[in-house]
Amino acid sequence: LRPITDDDEDAWLDPARQLGANLARCSETAKDPAAFNAVRALVEAIDKNIYGLSRAHINSSGSFWFPGSQWLTERAVLKQLDALFDLANRAKLGGPAMAQAIQLSNEVKHVLRLSKVRKHVKNLLRSRQFIQAGIEEKAWAIIEGNVGTPPLKLIHWQCIEDLGYLPKHKVDGTGTGAVHVDELLEEVATKLNVYKKKAERQTVVFFLSHRWLQTEGRSGHHPDSEDCIKARKLASFARWFKGMAARAGMMVDVAYWIDYCCCEQDDRHGVELGIAALPLYIASCTKVLAWRTPDFHRRSWTMVERLLSYSFC
């Protein structure tokens, strides 16, 4: 297998190498090493296929150049995973080796989901119908096909003002925070006393491009300062924006897409799926709001967000 480097992000490599080393030790002492060698060969084949799938979104001229080739490779990997456990049972692998095989299978299946999500993202961004659709139609398009794309969630500005802080995704104990688009539009329709379809046209969604203000210390990483200045300023900005619109004769409401509030933060697999879907989230927003810090223009994340916003927002 390929050697692991310090910056290698292929999470399946570690259990694959551990399993390979375990199999090598077993084959040296076994009377009939053929079964162990067959498992090792299968692990190497899985690594080769999943390596190509993990980079299919940036390698259009590589292994997946003809229609359906990516789908065929995904099917082949699933069959290889089934065969892996069949061979492992025949070889009567011990507990540690089986645990490594299970971990390898979980990581490979996650890469398959990630590959499907990335393909789904590319297809939607190529679709003029998606680009020109309203926010509710985009939200449904994002989750269609059952490929595992995390749904688009938004947080109403008044929720931030009422809480006084930025609520973490899925964690806030009060039951408030980011919600699905249809729920947000129902809330906006009630506040503005209009039909839901009209509420969609009167909702301005800002994508917040920012760097996290707390990156060290006992409190750990957090997007806001200890005195919640970002939450307070986002609420103030929404009030100012609504006031400016009202003076121009327009009745609007404001919602935000904020990574900390609207996207998975703890589960690694969920985080990676959310990052893969980031272009769709940006394409679903009306405007981009930049929280500028001295290093804002030099950070890779904010550069990528601006690039995506210039292209799709």
Side-chain angles (χ1 to χ4, degrees), residues 19-170:
L19 179 58
N22 207 329
L23 291 167
R25 288 192 295 269
C26 292
S27 63
E28 290 176 357
T29 58
K31 293 181 179 180
D32 183 11
F36 299 104
N37 292 335
V39 178
R40 287 183 64 189
L42 188 56
V43 170
E44 292 175 6
I46 291 172
D47 171 61
K48 181 179 179 180
N49 282 334
I50 208 65
Y51 178 84
L53 284 172
S54 69
R55 287 148 177 84
H57 61 295
I58 57 174
N59 189 23
S60 58
S61 61
S63 304
F64 306 104
W65 59 271
F66 65 88
S69 57
Q70 183 171 339
W71 178 82
L72 289 172
T73 306
E74 291 169 355
R75 295 275 295 177
V77 170
L78 289 174
K79 291 181 179 179
Q80 287 173 331
L81 289 178
D82 291 338
L84 174 65
F85 287 102
D86 288 340
L87 290 174
N89 288 327
R90 291 177 193 173
K92 298 180 180 180
L93 294 184
M98 287 300 292
Q100 291 156 3
I102 292 171
Q103 185 182 357
L104 171 62
S105 176
N106 290 337
E107 293 296 344
V108 167
K109 288 178 179 178
H110 169 62
V111 175
L112 290 175
R113 288 193 297 270
L114 202 55
S115 176
K116 291 179 181 178
V117 169
R118 286 167 173 162
K119 185 178 180 181
H120 182 56
V121 170
K122 289 178 69 174
N123 289 339
L124 285 182
L125 293 179
R126 289 172 178 155
S127 168
R128 182 174 297 181
Q129 181 180 355
F130 175 80
I131 296 299
Q132 296 177 347
I135 187 172
E136 187 170 23
E137 187 178 345
K138 286 181 176 178
W140 284 110
I142 287 173
I143 61 174
E144 72 180 359
N146 196 29
V147 297
T149 312
L152 173 65
K153 290 187 176 182
L154 302 171
I155 184 166
H156 193 271
W157 72 273
Q158 204 157 22
C159 174
I160 297 175
E161 183 177 63
D162 292 344
L163 291 173
Y165 62 89
L166 299 179
K168 189 175 182 180
H169 181 260
K170 290 185 179 178

